[in-house]
Amino acid sequence: MSVPPPPEPITGARLLFSLDPAVSHLNHGSFGAVPVVAQRAQQRLRDEMEADPLRFFTQGLVDRIAHTRRHLAGFLGADPDGTALTTNATTGAAVVFQSLGLRTGDEVLTTDHGYGAVAHSIRRECRRTGATHRVLRVPLTATDEEVVQIVREGLRPGRTRLLVVDQLTSATARLFPVAAIVGVAGEHGVPVLVDAAHAPGMLPASVHSIGADFWVGNLHKWGYAPRGTAVLVVAVPWRDRIEPLVVSWEQDSGFPARLEWQATSDYTAWLSAPAGLYALRSLGVERVRAHNAGLAAYGQRVVGDALGVPPADLPDPGGPTVAMRLIPLPAGLATTLDGARALQTRIAERLAAQVAVTTWDGRGWLRLCGQVYNAPEEYERLAVGLPGLLAQR
């Protein structure tokens, strides 16, 4: 089968970023890329902060944070009063784990597609409280109905204190039917935390429509915000129970201010996040989503063909706006985390291409992203050089 044509480029989009043109940046999903307009907005805020630190921190900063929170919540379709700014999705998840009041006999339930740092956080909280962490195996090829049934059968009402499920998985680029999962868990009285690290800016679904007890998402990936910008959205019954990891001066203000205020933290990333959303909206949100998803699919096919992977063996994330795609690596490659990191570094150094190499289910995978600053020829160059590099074990 022939490779479908790539999407038409978005004219001038590459010029909005300050990325090194000598490198193919095909891994937007890990750390994102901040548009120049947001970089400049943040620098102006830093200049303001350094010109008069006392005034910056003590006169109106809490209100400015609240204004930003309302702006971001509106973009996400979330209740501003239930939305708190935080530094990343992993931090937001840790806040939830430590606010639950887990005890011996309780369990936190996840799937085997979960993010590694979140799993570390769960295990630490379980060690501290005597709770347990149980993992459900979900095949990569499972249908949405099968995923929901696996979760339904895995719940232990009365013992499962929290279900953690990814909206779009990092390791496998799999889109999960989170609204249906939340509904099933709710039937059994099990609260759900949706880890939506990759959702803001990429996926159109609103937070309110999902109905999760907790939802965490990063704005500094697909939402073009400066790094360190994320939100934790909490349903009404839980808001009074949410405690920050570090107590500071807004503690008595309740949620969300008690979670956001961390004294001398640098809040300029949060305050300049609307500038990143402005850049996204200027390009056209739906246009960007369609472009990125189409380009990622093109890259997957081009590189997959070069590695001899049949199209039927290339995972399909199941969503028209998913801008991350997986390619299975040859057997024996990147089967451990250290091996994946080493191969990712080799590809960067020898092929001048930044990609993600992941390990899942005992196999190595190449994860490619599509973004407005990427061009089809970048994937084509990777396809030319990658087979020879992988042969040099």
Side-chain angles (χ1 to χ4, degrees), residues 180-323:
I181 291 172
V182 168
V184 167
E187 293 172 4
H188 294 82
V190 176
V192 180
L193 164 62
V194 172
D195 182 347
H198 291 275
M202 187 202 295
L203 303 180
S206 72
V207 176
H208 177 75
S209 67
I210 293 171
D213 301 87
F214 313 100
W215 186 97
V216 289
N218 293 323
L219 273 296
H220 55 241
K221 293 180 183 285
W222 305 91
Y224 293 170
R227 291 171 198 88
T229 305
V231 296
L232 167 62
V233 183
V234 179
V236 173
W238 292 94
R239 292 175 190 172
D240 290 341
R241 298 172 59 179
I242 294 296
E243 292 286 348
L245 302 179
V246 178
V247 173
S248 194
W249 286 104
E250 289 296 316
Q251 179 67 15
D252 292 339
S253 298
F255 183 88
R258 67 160 53 137
L259 193 66
E260 294 170 333
W261 187 258
Q262 294 294 306
T264 52
S265 292
D266 186 345
Y267 301 97
T268 60
W270 297 355
L271 299 181
S272 50
L277 289 183
Y278 171 81
L280 178 59
R281 288 181 169 122
S282 296
L283 294 172
V285 177
E286 297 302 327
R287 183 186 182 197
V288 168
R289 287 170 175 160
H291 170 275
N292 293 349
L295 194 56
Y298 174 79
Q300 181 191 44
R301 284 293 302 276
V302 168
V303 177
D305 282 0
L307 297 181
V309 181
D313 293 339
L314 294 173
D316 181 354
T321 64
V322 172

Side-chain angles (χ1 to χ4, degrees), residues 97 108-111 118 122 162-166 191-195:
F97 302 149
V108 178
L109 184 63
T110 67
T111 77
V118 171
I122 293 170
L162 182 70
L163 169 64
V164 182
V165 62
D166 295 59
V192 180
L193 164 62
V194 172
D195 182 347

Side-chain angles (χ1 to χ4, degrees), residues 21-38:
V23 177
S24 295
H25 301 274
L26 308 178
N27 184 19
H28 186 90
S30 284
F31 297 100
V34 184
V36 173
V37 63

Side-chain angles (χ1 to χ4, degrees), residues 341-366:
R341 288 172 174 169
L343 178 56
Q344 182 171 309
T345 299
R346 285 176 59 205
I347 293 172
E349 292 176 346
R350 300 188 187 184
L351 302 181
Q354 293 290 358
V355 301
V357 179
T358 68
T359 297
W360 184 80
D361 198 29
R363 181 165 192 174
W365 304 82
L366 182 73

